[in-house]
Structures are given as C-alpha cells and as structure tokens.
Amino acid sequence: MSLSVEVAGKSDVGCVRQNNEDNFGYDSRYGIYVVCDGMGGQAAGEVASKLAVDTVLTYFREAKDGSYPPVGEQIEGVSERAKALGSAIHLANSAIYEAATHQAAHSGMGSTIVAALVADSFFAIGHAGDSRVYLLRNGVLQQLTRDHSLVMEQVRRGLLTMEEAQKSEMQNIIIRALGPEDKVQADLDDQVAMPGDILLLCSDGLIRHVTDDQIQEILQGTSSLQLMSDRLVEAAREGGGSDNITVLLLRFEELPWYKKLFRRIFGGGSPEWQNSI
C-alpha cells in the first residue's frame, strides 16, 4: 500500500523568550522531516538548531539513487531507513561539535533533534534530547519517543513520579543532545503507517504547557493540518509560553488512483519524485 503525506508546521518564539532557538525543516521529495530545539544562550542555540536541520536535509538531498552512505556507528536491528537517519543525525552532531569547538562565540551550544524519514507506508524516527514524536491513530495518541532528560530518567527508575517530574526545577537538564560531545547515540525506530495517521514532531515548548489529552483533542478537532499547528501553538502560548514552540505535522493518506497509476507506469525506485506526487 502506497501512502501520500500532507505536511504543515509552525514555530513561535513564545511569550517569554526574546529569540527563537527552535528550527524545523522538511523536504517531501526525499521524505525527511526534522524539528530541532537549540541550546546555548544568546544566538548560539539558534545556530545549533539551524545547523542540525540543514545538515540532515543536505544528507538526504545528496544521496545518490536512494543509497545512503553510512556515517558513525551503525545500529543493528533497524531498517536501512533508520540507519540512514542515524547517519544524518551523527553528521549533524559532528557539525555542531566542530562549530562549537572552533568558534568561541558558539562554545557550549547544542540542540535536541527529532526526525522522521518516510517512504511509502513505512517511516523511521530518530531522536536525541527531549523533543518528541507523537502518533495519532484511530483516536489514540501515542508518544513514540522517550525523553532524554534527567527528570524522565528519574521517572523511569522510579525515583520521581510524573507529577513530581512536571513540577521539578530540573526539567531543563538534558542528558543526551547534539553537540556537547563528538559522538551521539540517537534512538532509532521503525514504524508502519496507516491511512489517516497523524504524526506530530514537536519541541518541548509545546509539552510544557499542553497535555497529551489537549494535544489529542486539538488533532481530532479539525481537518486542516495548518489549523492544527496554529491551535497547538496557541494552546502553548495560552498556557504560559515560557519557551519557544515548534510543531510539525504529517498526515498519511492513501494515494489517489491516478498517482498509483503513475507509479505503476514509471516505477517507484526514485526517492526524488517518490514522495512528491
């Protein structure tokens, strides 16, 4: 089964911050979608998140005939899609690390990342940090990523409850991200998409002020992806908007008959047009 992808996104500075250190980007021709949340103060966080987004997109745009050169340690037990995503994230980490090491103004900068790589009815996700990926399927919202944060690690170990974690002053402490070290281990996963699925990639500026129940209600409350994006951002702002807010939404739909016919006639091996029709 071949699926098409509709996409919409929005990024907002929020109600407190002076500049937006979030960045997002996508290229539907290659099926790659990315959200990054920069860290480092002043303009450094913004530099790190943009560098990460640009590096990941460039990796897939420069791939020849859908062949992705391996970079860094390859994780076993996942698809070639997921491995490619891991390679792109490794390159993004290296780019930020090198920039932070050789430019004093950018010393200590870093970024979280969540990314999805889509092909037909399959998608891989990769992440490092506390930005998240959610899947809405048949009216049920599921978080597909695990936060790489100190408080969530304490929750997983039974040292904190979720309620305590949400009130903790240590919510900002990230235990895995792009840039602080010369290597990073991204979490990778493979998923099968179904018609009607909605995938949400977001920075933690959304999660701080919007509950999972609210997210589900907004995603189910309208048919327009762009309006969903607007309402998610507005809900975060109404809740306090203490951080930058970024959302990127994907909706999977079954291909119309004429697009299926086009693929049958001309083939489906070229990622350059495969995700664009």
Side-chain angles (χ1 to χ4, degrees):
M1 176 174 58
S2 295
L3 300 178
S4 62
V5 178
E6 179 188 0
V7 60
K10 185 171 185 176
S11 188
D12 189 272
V13 70
C15 303
V16 176
R17 301 291 181 89
Q18 296 300 310
N19 65 306
N20 192 347
E21 295 189 329
D22 288 0
N23 269 287
F24 76 95
Y26 61 90
D27 194 328
S28 297
R29 295 172 301 170
Y30 304 95
I32 181 65
Y33 307 85
V34 192
V35 169
C36 292
D37 179 357
M39 306 172 290
Q42 298 182 354
E46 181 179 348
V47 171
S49 62
K50 186 177 188 307
L51 190 54
V53 170
D54 290 347
T55 301
V56 170
L57 293 181
T58 298
Y59 174 82
F60 289 101
R61 286 168 176 162
E62 292 183 349
K64 304 299 183 183
D65 300 321
S67 177
Y68 307 115
V71 181
E73 183 179 353
Q74 298 294 291
I75 298 177
E76 299 302 322
V78 296
S79 69
E80 292 304 311
R81 271 184 309 277
K83 290 179 180 179
L85 204 50
S87 292
I89 292 172
H90 180 86
L91 282 175
N93 180 77
S94 296
I96 296 172
Y97 180 80
E98 290 297 322
T101 301
H102 295 103
Q103 301 177 40
H106 298 155
S107 178
M109 72 178 180
S111 178
T112 70
I113 186 169
V114 285
L117 181 61
V118 179
D120 291 326
S121 56
F122 302 93
F123 65 92
I125 57 173
H127 87 288
D130 62 351
S131 295
R132 292 181 180 177
V133 179
Y134 286 91
L135 172 66
L136 180 69
R137 173 177 291 169
N138 296 327
V140 178
L141 186 72
Q142 178 186 1
Q143 182 180 333
L144 298 183
T145 53
R146 299 199 316 168
D147 295 357
H148 299 141
S149 65
L150 179 60
V151 293
M152 289 309 298
E153 185 63 27
Q154 290 177 322
V155 169
R156 286 191 284 269
R157 296 185 180 188
L159 302 176
L160 286 179
T161 66
M162 279 299 298
E163 292 74 18
E164 291 171 334
Q166 291 168 353
K167 298 176 182 177
S168 173
E169 296 180 355
M170 298 185 293
Q171 289 187 65
N172 289 329
I173 301 178
I174 307 301
I175 59 176
R176 199 187 308 181
L178 305 182
E181 300 180 4
D182 61 344
K183 296 180 181 179
V184 67
Q185 183 65 66
D187 284 355
L188 303 172
D189 191 24
D190 289 293
Q191 299 282 337
V192 178
M194 301 294 292
D197 282 355
I198 295 177
L199 205 61
L200 166 63
L201 287 67
C202 63
S203 64
D204 71 328
L206 176 71
I207 308 306
R208 288 179 185 275
H209 302 291
V210 185
T211 67
D212 287 5
D213 287 344
Q214 289 175 301
I215 291 173
Q216 180 170 329
E217 182 179 354
I218 291 170
L219 296 184
Q220 291 181 300
T222 178
S223 60
S224 165
L225 281 190
Q226 192 57 60
L227 188 54
M228 290 179 200
S229 301
D230 295 342
R231 288 180 174 174
L232 286 170
V233 169
E234 188 57 34
R237 289 180 61 89
E238 289 177 355
S242 62
D243 200 354
N244 307 143
I245 311 151
T246 299
V247 299
L248 183 58
L249 288 165
L250 286 66
R251 178 160 51 201
F252 295 86
E253 299 291 354
E254 191 166 2
L255 278 173
W257 67 267
Y258 57 89
K259 292 185 178 180
K260 290 182 179 179
L261 179 62
F262 185 91
R263 288 193 178 183
R264 189 176 299 117
I265 294 173
F266 295 99
S270 172
E272 189 165 4
W273 61 265
Q274 191 173 25
N275 294 285
S276 63
I277 64 170

